[in-house]
Structures are given as C-alpha cells and as structure tokens.
Amino acid sequence: MADVAIDQAERIPYVLADLGTPVPEPRQIFAVGLNYADHAAESNVPAPEFPLIFTKFQSSLGGPATPVSLPSEGVDFEAELVVVIGKEIHQVAELDAWSYVAGLTVGQDLSERAVQGRGPVPQFSLGKSFPGFSPCGPAVVSLDEVPNPDDLAIRGWVGDEVLQESRTKELIFSVPKLVFYLSGVCTLYPGDLIFTGTPAGVGMGRVPQRFLRPGETLMTEIEGLGRLEIPLEQGYPTSA
C-alpha cells in the first residue's frame, strides 16, 4: 500500500537553487588525490600504489547551485563522484564494502592552488576548504537506483567548454577499495563523505592553465545522479 500511495502522490517541481547540500553535517569528509591515471599523468607524478587521502572541512560544503565566491584567480575545478556512508564500520572487507554505502552524489573538489601548494609540503585540506568549495547534490541516490555504480559517466564544463569527461570505471582505486582502505584505519560513520578523485583536465594541468572566473557557471554531471550548477562570483582576496 505504501508503494501505491507514493506512486499516486502529487509530484511537486523543485528549483535547484533552493536545495542545500544533501548531507549537511557529515562527521568526516575524506578526499582522494590522483585517483585517475590520466590525472596523475597530467600532474607529472606516477600513479599511486596506495590511495592518497586528505580531508576537507565541513564549512566548505555547499548545495548543487550554491554560489561560490572566488578568493583568487587560481581556483581550480575537480569533478568528482562522492560516496555517502550508510552504516558505522571499521575494517570492512572489500567484497562487503558496497553494503555500507547509503548512496552516491555529484561533487566538486574546488581548489585554491596557491594555498594548496604552500610548503615546504602541500596543504591540501586548507586550499580545498574555502566556503562552498565542496558542493554536493542535488540528492543522495541510493544504490538500487544506480544500475552499475562502478561505471558512471562524469563530466564538467563551463558554457560550451568541456573541461573534464571520463567514466568512474577509470578510478585507480574503486569505491569498494576506498571504503576498505579507509575503514582499515578510521571508523566510518553514517553520513561520512568520500570524494573519490577527479579525472584529467583540471585547470592547473592545462597549457595554458585555465582557472575559474567570476561570472561563469561551473556545471558538473554524473550519469544517473544529477547535476551541479555552481555560479561563480568575485570574492575577497585570500589572506591565508
């Protein structure tokens, strides 16, 4: 009866800009660097033997159409598949990993490259955690709605300019491998997010380099999961 009631319910259209991030208070946000071989190649580093993990801060989350103020002329784009953990886990087997995933969503790992690269070693987490630098959405799509979660088309573009285009089957470390690896060290909690990495085409790796500009709208789409439409605005220069 419940299914019949849902099928007969009135469907009310929504405006993308009215949506916030679908997981507003994750306990932990993990991200993975160099998880596509072509992105590692354009970064002039070998493909990693183990997942390269960094974190992003909760204050950087945004919705699928939340405007982002650019703090500099060096903000880069990174289209990403985002995993949402559904159950508390520690040391899960790779074969069981998908059963601990609540769903998938679309994300961008926006990156201020100057802050990220300040050293003597890179500071990934800080450069990737300005307000709005972790937009997600438009919804968390449960796995029963995704015919093949291991192979989804992913694309990012501005206007008529395609910036990134690939498939998630090209991930060096698949979603189950990432969940297995992370849970081998950390306890993962319901609502935790994993940004799984970006394919080639990022602005820093282009010749000439191509960073995001005020007035543009950054589009990001993953097959079966939906689309982000992020308006970009002029922000105040970073003091970091």
Side-chain angles (χ1 to χ4, degrees), residues 86-168:
K87 295 181 284 186
E88 183 174 328
I89 48 173
H90 180 59
Q91 296 183 332
V92 67
E94 184 178 329
L95 289 175
D96 298 328
W98 273 121
S99 67
Y100 289 87
V101 173
L104 303 171
T105 192
V106 186
Q108 269 282 343
D109 174 25
L110 297 178
S111 307
E112 207 293 330
R113 296 303 193 188
V115 172
Q116 176 188 330
R118 288 175 184 162
V121 294
Q123 303 184 65
F124 276 60
S125 296
L126 195 62
K128 292 167 174 283
S129 290
F130 285 82
F133 271 32
S134 305
C136 297
V140 177
V141 180
S142 58
L143 297 181
D144 61 312
E145 297 288 338
V146 185
N148 187 357
D150 290 300
D151 183 17
L152 302 172
I154 181 171
R155 183 170 179 256
W157 70 100
V158 169
D160 295 329
E161 182 184 4
V162 176
L163 301 171
Q164 295 179 280
E165 193 163 23
S166 187
R167 301 193 68 89
T168 60

Side-chain angles (χ1 to χ4, degrees), residues 1-11:
M1 292 296 293
D3 290 341
V4 173
I6 291 173
D7 289 342
Q8 294 176 347
E10 179 184 2
R11 284 159 171 77

Side-chain angles (χ1 to χ4, degrees), residues 68 70 158-159 212-218 230-235:
V68 171
L70 301 176
V158 169
L212 297 173
R213 307 169 189 131
E216 295 181 328
T217 298
L218 177 61
I230 307 299
L232 304 171
E233 302 175 347
Q234 180 65 58

Side-chain angles (χ1 to χ4, degrees), residues 26-31 54-61 134 191-195:
R27 190 162 176 175
Q28 301 174 113
I29 305 175
F30 301 94
F54 58 95
T55 57
K56 291 168 70 72
F57 299 116
Q58 190 182 113
S59 59
S60 67
L61 288 171
S134 305
D192 282 357
L193 303 179
I194 305 172
F195 284 69

